[in-house]
């Protein structure tokens, strides 16, 4: 097809938009004959669209066709008479569809990229034309009113680039103009002190860089600054300031900020160009200290301020100057020596040396551990390659199932090893910074010690010689450790290269295997269609780092469980509910209570992780295992109590202690009936699943309570009972809390409070931070933010207001979610990225009193479960770390594998959802 025959793109803006369109509904109820006809129509539609030049529709139809073909190849009717159905489908059509889909995807990706680039160029050109017209109109208007004197508004003239503090103060006090103040000092200086004006926001110096667009800058701003920044187009005057500048110097933050606003703020036009505050915040602080948040502001370091001033000065060479005459000393037979200062200096140096030794030992340990992890990754990838090849060549179902299970284990292990290595590198970076600090101090103290000894004019004494020997020995030890670290690091780099070579070779073999595994209808391979389709998908969408677990297995490829001779085993019954029999496909083993794993049914690790966390919530387990929940099952809700019943059956199976792992097909099918998102075999978000599951369980297990007298209740309690409507549940009482949102007018201080319930707290992470604490995230969540244009009921007008969140009701089980996934503004196709921030959270004694409003109950929590996410958006894996209420130990639940872990392993950069309890366990 030539370029000229292709019609314009119209279905989406990127290839991900098309990937959402080729999902097919559940086909289990359809006969193979009807599916073959459907597949043939889809193929014909794809060919027709391709002939017309509509690449998008052609790609979608081809992918739908391949999905239907993959399903047909697993159908029982197809397996009975392959030749008949192959003739219906056309023997060459699947291969043709795979090749066509790949070519179309490559073509579409290129076309989308060109279109996005062209669109950006058009936007820039359009913006330039708009600015040009505005400049022309402005010149005409200036020519018209040139003879008329300007009105006394106090505003700087159109050609002025600065405004003085007294002018700005007059404008702010007058209050008739909408003024925005952009404080371009470092973020910490703004927090310490800034102009007391509602529209004064921090645009941190560290966030401003050359070539940046206004959109990218907005994403880097503090969350409190973004609402005000969004109103910049309607501002009548924009004032920029730093600490002390009197002009806008090219290359400096104020000039860069002004360039971003005037040239790279697409489709936002300003009534006048931004001006700089003459003399900066220093001049304002001197003249109007009462109009600041902190009059006792600390000036920036003089070293930083003098860098530019002293950069061109040539300093004299000290060797060229005459030495200062020595201070005369009293003549005596022995020189006067301050031995106290010398011994203190020696002791301080020894302490510095010990600290350096400790850091180097830690670095050596991290280097050894990192090397071990790298070797384990290479071994795991080699095992994975071997298992994959054996699984592909094995025709017996029971061995294929075993190989697939082992493959899932190795892929999970690879992702976790990669995450541990990332955490080690972060810790090593922190130690490296500490070491540099100690080395700097060591040099300073050594210089002072040498100067002290030089002044003494003494010959080297015995203690001096001993000290020198000790220092030499310590230096040799430090150098030996550094050499050891360097050797281990070099070995790890070599292993990195080896692993990359293995990965390249493995990809080459996969490509060759894919060519060999295209559908061949003459062979008696039951996976002929399915394997080709999966290979096509693998070629079309592949994870960039670890093996893409999203492509490992699917619901249609469920392996058959091997059959065993159970005549030698005691009779056992699979877990079931009182209402109906369930097939949990149990694998028998004598394990501890609550230490049973969950089989991965095709990317259901997100579900398994949440179920295991809930399965270690002691009160909930007792409620399900003793049958008390049956008294509260609510049949009037849309799920008719089925979600609660299926989860209860799973919990009883997990706590029977007689299964190594079980499958949750019934629970998964029931969840899929009521939420389309969880029907397929694609990876989903565990936080989304948890939030929906909590709501379902609450509605499934509701019971009525006697409504209290509203006149006897406070505002928080009244809002709580209005939310529950006298319908409560154990899930509500355990997991649900309440947030108070207070909006306060910045002019008259009138405030309005509302209350909302939550089943988990979803916390933002501090931007641009590689490490933070749970306390940092909670403070960021509860900090006040400015809301412009709030309708004040007292002022009867739109006012700037401050919104503040507080926890007004703490639940017994506190669930905390970290927002690790974010929309990357640098990507054209709304791509999501993951933050690998390491968050330090306490395992015990999390005190929530500082974050709540005198809530009743116990505000001190202990951690008992963590849902972890490894990998990225393209390919990820979930596990759970849970502390057993029976054994008091931590265990890792990795789908069907359950192993004991050390408490020191619980904290990692993979932590995604935390489960805390204030109840006795």
């Amino acid at each position: 097809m030539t370029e000229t025959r292709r019609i314009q793109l119209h279905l989406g803006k990127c290839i991900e938009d098309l990937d959402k369109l080729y999902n097919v509904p559940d086909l289990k109820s359809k006969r193979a004959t009807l599916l073959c006809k459907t597949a043939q129509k889809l193929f014909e539609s794809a060919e027709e669209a391709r002939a017309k030049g509509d690449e998008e529709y052609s790609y979608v139809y081809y992918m739908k066709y391949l999905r239907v073909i993959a399903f047909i190849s697993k159908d029982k009717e197809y397996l009975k008479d392959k030749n008949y159905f192959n003739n219906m489908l056309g023997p060459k059509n699947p291969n043709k569809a795979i090749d066509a889909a790949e070519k179309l995807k490559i073509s579409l990706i290129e076309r989308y990229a060109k279109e996005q680039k062209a669109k950006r160029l058009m936007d820039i050109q359009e913006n330039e034309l708009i600015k040009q017209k505005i400049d022309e109109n402005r010149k005409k208007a200036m020519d018209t009113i040139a003879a008329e004197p300007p009105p006394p508004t106090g505003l700087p003239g159109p050609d002025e680039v600065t405004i003085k503090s007294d002018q700005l103060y007059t404008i702010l006090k007058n209050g008739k103009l909408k003024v925005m103040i952009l404080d371009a000092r470092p973020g910490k200086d703004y927090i310490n002190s800034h102009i007391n004006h509602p529209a004064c926001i921090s645009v941190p110096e560290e966030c401003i860089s050359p070539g940046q667009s206004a959109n990218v800058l907005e994403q880097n701003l503090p969350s409190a600054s973004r609402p005000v920044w969004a109103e910049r187009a309607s501002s009548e005057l924009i004032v920029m300031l730093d600490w002390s500048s009197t002009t806008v110097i090219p290359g400096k933050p104020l000039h860069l900020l002004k360039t971003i606003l005037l040239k790279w703020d697409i489709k936002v036009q300003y009534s006048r160009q931004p001006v700089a505050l003459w003399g900066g915040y220093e001049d304002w602080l001197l003249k109007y200290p009462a109009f600041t948040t902190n009059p006792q502001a600390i000036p920036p370091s003089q070293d930083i301020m003098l860098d530019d001033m002293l950069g061109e000065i040539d300093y004299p060479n000290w060797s060229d100057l005459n030495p200062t005459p020595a201070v005369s000393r009293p003549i005596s037979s022995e020189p006067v020596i301050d031995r106290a200062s010398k011994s203190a200096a020696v002791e301080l140096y020894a302490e510095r040396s010990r600290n350096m030794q400790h850091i180097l030992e830690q670095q050596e340990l991290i280097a050894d551990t990192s090397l071990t992890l790298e070797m384990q990754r290479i071994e795991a990838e080699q095992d994975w390659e071997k298992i994959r090849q054996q699984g592909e060549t094995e025709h017996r179902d029971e061995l294929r199932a075993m190989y697939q299970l082992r493959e899932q284990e190795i892929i999970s292990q690879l992702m976790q090893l990669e995450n541990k290595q990332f955490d080690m590198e972060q810790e090593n970076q922190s130690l490296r910074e500490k070491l540099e600090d100690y080395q700097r101090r060591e040099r300073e103290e050594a210089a002072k010690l040498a100067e002290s000894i030089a002044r003494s004019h003494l010959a080297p004494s015995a203690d001096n010689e001993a000290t020198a020997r000790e220092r030499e020995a310590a230096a040799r030890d430090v150098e030996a450790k550094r050499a050891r670290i360097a050797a281990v690091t070099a070995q790890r780099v070599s292993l990195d290269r080896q692993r990359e070579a293995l990965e390249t070779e493995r990809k080459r073999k996969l490509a060759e295997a894919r060519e060999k595994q295209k559908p061949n209808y003459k062979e008696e391979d039951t996976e002929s269609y399915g394997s080709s389709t999966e290979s096509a998908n693998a070629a079309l969408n592949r994870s960039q780092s670890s093996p893409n677990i999203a492509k490992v297995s699917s619901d249609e490829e469920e392996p058959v469980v091997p059959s065993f001779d159970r005549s030698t085993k005691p009779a056992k019954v699979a877990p079931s509910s009182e209402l109906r029999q369930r097939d949990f496909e149990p694998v028998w083993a004598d394990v501890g209570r609550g230490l049973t794993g969950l089989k991965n049914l095709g990317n259901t690790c997100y579900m398994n992780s949440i179920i295991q966390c809930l399965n270690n919530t002691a009160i909930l387990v007792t409620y399900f295992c003793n049958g008390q929940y049956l008294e509260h099952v609510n049949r009037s809700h849309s799920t008719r109590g089925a979600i609660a019943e299926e989860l209860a059956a799973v919990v009883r199976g997990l706590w029977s202690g007689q299964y190594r792992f079980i499958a949750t097909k019934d629970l998964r099918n029931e969840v899929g009936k009521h939420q389309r998102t969880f029907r397929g075999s694609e990876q989903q978000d565990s936080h989304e699943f948890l939030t929906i599951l909590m709501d379902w369980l609450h509605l499934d297990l509701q019971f009525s309570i006697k409504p209290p007298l509203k006149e006897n209740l406070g505002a928080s309690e009244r809002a709580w009972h209005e939310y529950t409507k006298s319908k409560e549940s154990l899930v509500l009482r355990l997991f649900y809390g309440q947030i108070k949102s207070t909006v306060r007018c910045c002019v008259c201080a009138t405030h309005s409070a509302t209350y909302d319930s939550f089943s988990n707290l979803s916390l933002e992470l501090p931007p641009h931070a590689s490490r933070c604490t749970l306390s940092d995230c909670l403070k960021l969540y509860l900090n006040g933010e400015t809301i412009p244009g709030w309708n004040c009921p007292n002022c009867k007008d739109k006012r700037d207001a401050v919104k503040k969140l507080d926890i007004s009701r703490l639940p017994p089980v506190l669930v905390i979610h970290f927002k690790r996934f974010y929309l990357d503004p640098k990507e054209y196709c709304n791509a999501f990225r993951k933050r690998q921030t390491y968050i330090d959270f306490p395992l015990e004694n999390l005190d929530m009193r500082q974050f709540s409003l005198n809530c009743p109950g116990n505000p001190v929590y202990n951690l008992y479960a963590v849902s972890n996410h490894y990998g990225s958006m393209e390919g990820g894996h979930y596990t759970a770390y849970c502390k057993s209420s029976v054994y008091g130990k931590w265990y890792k639940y990795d789908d069907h594998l359950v192993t004991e872990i050390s408490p020191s392993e619980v904290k990692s950069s993979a932590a995604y959802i935390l489960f805390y309890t204030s109840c006795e366990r």
Side-chain angles (χ1 to χ4, degrees):
M1 184 182 301
T2 62
E3 183 75 20
T4 55
R5 291 181 58 189
R6 296 185 301 186
I7 68 173
Q8 188 176 356
L9 299 172
H10 58 96
L11 271 187
K13 297 181 179 179
C14 59
I15 199 68
E16 285 78 6
D17 291 345
L18 300 187
D19 291 340
K20 299 174 184 177
L21 301 178
Y22 57 72
N23 287 329
V24 294
D26 189 2
L27 304 175
K28 292 182 179 179
S29 61
K30 308 295 183 183
R31 294 179 61 84
T33 306
L34 180 60
L35 290 177
C36 287
K37 294 180 180 178
T38 302
Q40 190 61 28
K41 289 181 181 178
L42 287 171
F43 185 82
E44 291 172 358
S45 299
E47 291 286 294
E48 183 181 353
R50 194 180 185 194
K52 292 179 179 179
D54 192 340
E55 291 189 340
E56 291 174 309
Y57 266 123
S58 179
Y59 173 73
V60 171
Y61 283 135
Y62 276 130
M63 295 305 296
K64 282 189 176 182
Y65 168 78
L66 292 173
R67 288 284 179 95
V68 175
I69 288 291
F71 189 86
I72 293 174
S73 66
K74 309 299 185 301
D75 192 271
K76 294 179 180 178
E77 294 182 29
Y78 169 81
L79 297 177
K80 290 179 182 178
D81 193 355
K82 289 185 179 180
N83 291 331
Y84 170 73
F85 288 103
N86 289 344
N87 289 330
M88 286 185 65
L89 292 169
K92 298 182 179 179
N93 288 350
N95 281 343
K96 186 175 180 180
I98 291 174
D99 293 336
E102 286 185 344
K103 292 177 181 178
L104 286 171
K105 181 167 186 177
I106 294 171
S107 173
L108 286 168
I109 289 175
E110 292 177 355
R111 291 182 65 190
Y112 283 132
K114 289 180 181 177
E115 190 175 77
Q116 290 288 346
K117 186 176 180 180
K119 185 178 179 182
R120 290 190 64 193
L121 289 174
M122 286 181 62
D123 287 343
I124 293 173
Q125 291 173 358
E126 181 184 352
N127 183 55
E128 290 296 330
L129 288 174
I130 292 173
K131 288 183 180 294
Q132 186 177 353
K133 289 181 180 179
I134 290 177
D135 289 340
E136 291 175 358
N137 293 335
R138 183 181 297 165
K139 288 180 180 178
K140 291 179 181 178
M142 293 302 300
D143 292 339
T144 303
I145 62 171
E148 301 179 6
T153 59
L155 285 171
D159 296 327
E160 294 184 31
V161 295
T162 61
I163 184 174
K164 294 192 175 180
S165 297
D166 51 357
Q167 286 180 277
L168 178 59
Y169 178 79
T170 303
I171 293 171
L172 295 179
K173 291 296 288 182
N174 192 11
K176 293 182 178 180
L177 295 177
K178 187 172 183 180
V179 181
M180 179 184 294
I181 302 174
L182 306 181
D183 194 326
R185 295 176 297 148
K188 60 181 185 346
D189 293 345
Y190 173 87
I191 295 173
N192 179 40
S193 177
H194 59 268
I195 295 177
N196 191 4
H197 179 61
C200 176
I201 62 173
S202 174
V203 183
E205 176 184 319
E206 54 269 23
C207 295
I208 305 172
S209 58
Q212 211 174 24
S213 69
N215 183 39
V216 173
L217 177 60
E218 182 177 5
Q219 300 301 322
N220 296 329
L221 293 180
S223 57
S225 299
R226 293 176 189 171
V228 181
W229 172 269
E231 299 294 328
R232 61 191 182 282
S234 60
S235 296
E236 297 170 275
L237 176 64
I238 296 180
V239 179
M240 310 175 299
L241 63 91
D242 57 7
W243 174 251
S244 59
S245 294
T246 57
T247 185
V248 179
I249 303 173
K252 295 300 181 181
L254 292 186
H255 181 267
L256 295 176
L257 179 58
K258 187 174 182 179
T259 303
I260 290 171
L261 293 174
L262 295 180
K263 289 190 177 181
W264 304 113
D265 202 355
I266 306 298
K267 296 184 180 179
V268 175
Q269 305 302 325
Y270 298 92
S271 58
R272 60 167 53 239
Q273 66 173 348
V275 294
L277 182 63
W278 192 93
Y281 189 66
E282 182 181 32
D283 184 69
W284 180 273
L285 190 64
L286 290 172
K287 293 180 178 178
Y288 306 104
F291 213 74
T292 64
T293 58
N294 176 19
Q296 307 297 325
I298 301 174
S301 172
Q302 292 297 318
D303 294 336
I304 298 174
M305 294 175 61
L306 293 175
D307 278 348
D308 294 335
M309 296 167 58
L310 303 181
E312 301 298 325
I313 297 179
D314 293 328
Y315 293 96
N317 192 335
W318 291 110
S319 60
D320 298 336
L321 302 178
N322 294 325
T324 305
V327 180
S328 59
R329 298 171 179 259
I331 301 174
S332 174
S333 59
E334 294 184 358
V336 178
I337 302 170
D338 185 1
R339 292 191 178 274
S341 62
K342 176 183 173 184
S343 61
V346 172
E347 183 179 351
L348 182 61
Y349 178 82
E351 181 183 357
R352 299 275 190 233
S353 180
R354 286 193 298 271
N355 289 333
M356 284 181 60
Q357 289 276 0
H358 178 66
I359 291 178
L360 285 168
E361 288 171 3
Q362 286 182 295
Q363 280 193 308
E364 190 175 6
L365 177 62
I366 287 176
D368 287 336
T369 306
S370 184
L371 180 63
T372 303
L373 289 173
E374 189 66 34
M375 295 173 70
Q376 289 176 351
R377 284 182 67 183
I378 290 177
E379 292 174 3
E381 290 195 356
Q382 290 173 337
D383 289 345
W384 179 56
E385 175 69 12
K386 189 184 302 181
I387 290 293
R388 186 191 62 78
Q389 292 176 353
Q390 291 173 342
E392 289 178 352
T393 57
E394 185 57 55
H395 295 280
R396 285 176 294 176
D397 289 341
E398 63 271 15
L399 291 180
R400 285 178 66 87
M402 181 188 71
Y403 284 134
Q404 287 184 358
L405 204 61
R406 178 60 181 149
E407 188 177 2
Q408 287 182 358
E409 293 176 12
I410 294 174
I411 289 172
S412 171
Q413 182 185 3
L414 278 169
M415 287 191 175
Q416 293 173 54
L417 286 171
E418 188 177 359
N419 184 265
K420 285 183 179 179
Q421 222 166 15
F422 175 82
D423 288 351
M424 286 288 180
E425 291 169 359
Q426 292 291 317
E427 186 175 354
N428 194 33
Q429 177 64 27
S430 175
L431 289 173
R432 192 178 296 116
E433 292 172 358
K434 288 182 181 179
L435 181 62
E436 291 174 355
D437 183 51
Y438 276 119
Q439 287 174 334
R440 179 182 58 79
R441 296 183 186 180
E442 177 194 15
R443 288 192 296 269
E444 294 174 357
E445 298 300 331
K448 291 179 181 178
L449 179 60
E451 185 180 354
S452 174
I453 294 174
R455 286 176 184 168
S456 66
H457 301 292
L458 286 178
S461 60
D463 60 336
N464 288 338
E465 292 177 358
T467 302
R469 285 195 297 271
E470 289 176 3
R471 290 177 57 189
E472 290 175 1
R476 284 195 299 272
D477 193 14
V478 167
E479 288 302 319
K481 289 186 181 297
R482 286 176 174 164
R484 161 75 174 150
I485 294 171
V488 172
T489 303
Q491 189 175 355
R492 188 194 154 191
V493 170
S494 175
L495 286 173
D496 271 333
R497 293 172 181 169
Q498 180 184 346
R499 188 174 61 79
E500 289 174 2
L502 288 172
E503 176 72 7
T504 303
E505 179 65 16
R506 182 178 61 77
K507 288 181 178 179
R508 185 186 66 79
K509 290 181 179 178
L510 277 176
E512 291 178 356
R514 180 198 167 281
E515 291 298 323
K516 294 178 181 178
Q517 290 179 358
K518 285 187 177 180
N520 187 351
Y521 299 98
K522 296 180 181 180
E523 297 180 1
E524 293 297 321
D525 183 6
T526 59
E527 302 292 329
S528 60
Y529 281 122
S531 61
S532 299
T533 307
E534 288 299 319
S535 300
N537 287 342
L540 292 170
N541 186 10
R542 183 72 183 166
S543 176
Q544 296 175 355
S545 54
S546 298
N548 191 349
I549 199 168
K551 304 299 178 189
V552 170
S553 60
S554 66
D555 199 22
E556 291 80 14
E557 291 184 356
E558 191 62 47
V560 180
V561 177
S563 58
F564 300 95
D565 181 10
R566 304 197 186 278
S567 59
T568 59
K569 297 180 71 67
K572 294 183 179 180
V573 179
S576 63
S577 72
E578 293 77 11
L579 299 177
R580 64 185 182 88
Q581 195 75 14
R582 294 174 175 82
D583 181 16
F584 284 88
E585 299 180 359
V587 174
W588 309 90
D590 293 325
V591 299
R593 295 174 61 232
L595 301 182
T596 295
L598 291 172
K599 184 179 180 181
N600 193 318
L601 303 176
N603 289 322
T604 57
C605 55
Y606 71 93
M607 188 180 296
N608 293 346
S609 173
I610 294 302
I611 290 174
Q612 293 290 14
C613 290
L614 295 179
N615 187 57
N616 281 275
T617 307
I619 297 177
L620 193 64
V621 169
T622 304
Y623 181 67
F624 281 137
C625 288
N626 64 13
Q628 185 182 355
Y629 78 98
L630 293 171
E631 302 173 8
H632 302 142
V633 174
N634 175 22
R635 304 293 181 188
S636 62
H637 179 238
S638 61
T639 61
R640 301 187 179 280
I643 300 293
E645 287 182 335
E646 294 299 337
L647 182 61
V650 171
V651 169
R652 289 198 301 276
L654 294 174
W655 279 86
S656 65
Q658 57 182 347
Y659 313 112
R660 179 170 168 242
F661 62 86
I662 61 175
T664 58
K665 280 190 172 181
D666 295 281
L667 175 59
R668 184 195 179 191
N669 291 339
E670 196 63 42
V671 166
K673 289 179 185 178
H674 304 286
Q675 186 68 27
R676 181 181 296 273
T677 308
F678 307 125
R679 285 182 193 173
S681 58
E682 295 181 357
Q683 185 65 275
Q684 302 297 336
D685 182 27
S686 68
H687 174 247
E688 181 183 1
F689 174 71
L690 171 66
T691 304
I692 295 175
L693 182 63
M694 287 290 101
D695 290 341
W696 277 340
L697 291 175
H698 165 56
L699 295 171
D700 273 0
L701 299 170
Q702 276 185 346
F703 52 83
S704 299
I705 61 171
K706 183 179 179 181
L709 297 175
K710 292 186 178 181
E711 54 269 18
N712 298 332
L713 299 177
S716 173
E717 287 295 319
R718 191 181 307 112
W720 178 259
H721 285 285
E722 287 176 358
Y723 166 71
T724 61
K725 296 182 173 59
S726 300
K727 297 281 188 179
E728 292 199 359
S729 68
L730 178 68
V731 174
L732 181 81
R733 292 179 174 178
L734 278 180
F735 293 93
Y736 281 70
Q738 188 185 65
I739 287 286
K740 179 184 179 182
S741 175
T742 306
V743 181
R744 186 182 304 275
C745 178
C746 294
V747 177
C748 67
T750 297
H751 66 275
S752 172
T754 55
Y755 296 86
D756 296 297
S757 64
F758 66 88
S759 60
N760 58 79
L761 291 177
S762 196
L763 307 183
E764 296 278 358
L765 304 184
H768 315 299
S770 59
R771 300 175 71 90
C772 67
T773 65
L774 175 57
S775 178
D776 295 333
C777 299
L778 285 167
K779 289 176 181 176
L780 186 62
Y781 176 73
L782 298 173
N783 277 349
E785 60 174 327
T786 303
I787 302 176
W790 181 62
N791 290 315
C792 177
N794 186 44
C795 300
K796 306 297 183 183
D797 199 358
K798 291 184 180 295
R799 300 292 190 190
D800 289 339
V802 175
K803 181 181 179 181
K804 177 74 170 66
L805 299 180
D806 294 287
I807 301 175
S808 54
R809 186 186 187 96
L810 282 168
V813 177
L814 179 62
V815 182
I816 297 175
H817 159 247
F818 297 122
K819 293 183 178 180
R820 290 196 177 274
F821 301 103
Y822 67 98
L823 188 65
D824 190 350
K826 298 178 182 178
E827 295 290 336
Y828 292 138
C829 300
N830 296 330
F832 277 84
R833 295 288 179 261
K834 180 185 175 185
R835 288 192 172 96
Q836 296 283 4
T837 308
Y838 180 90
I839 304 168
D840 188 7
F841 48 86
L843 302 187
E844 296 179 344
N845 300 322
L846 170 64
D847 194 344
M848 292 295 292
R849 279 176 291 192
Q850 59 175 316
F851 305 111
S852 57
L853 299 172
N854 300 320
C855 300
N858 184 9
V860 181
Y861 290 81
N862 294 325
L863 187 74
Y864 73 91
V866 182
S867 175
N868 300 303
H869 180 272
Y870 302 92
S872 61
M873 290 293 294
E874 291 79 12
H877 181 60
Y878 289 93
T879 67
Y881 292 159
C882 303
K883 186 176 183 181
S884 171
S885 60
V886 176
Y887 307 106
K889 299 178 180 179
W890 282 92
Y891 293 88
K892 177 173 74 172
Y893 295 82
D894 189 352
D895 287 335
H896 62 282
L897 294 177
V898 181
T899 54
E900 183 180 346
I901 61 171
S902 167
S904 62
E905 296 182 50
V906 176
K907 296 181 186 180
S908 76
S909 59
Y912 187 44
I913 306 175
L914 309 180
F915 291 75
Y916 282 93
T917 180
S918 62
C919 310
E920 294 294 331
R921 289 176 58 78

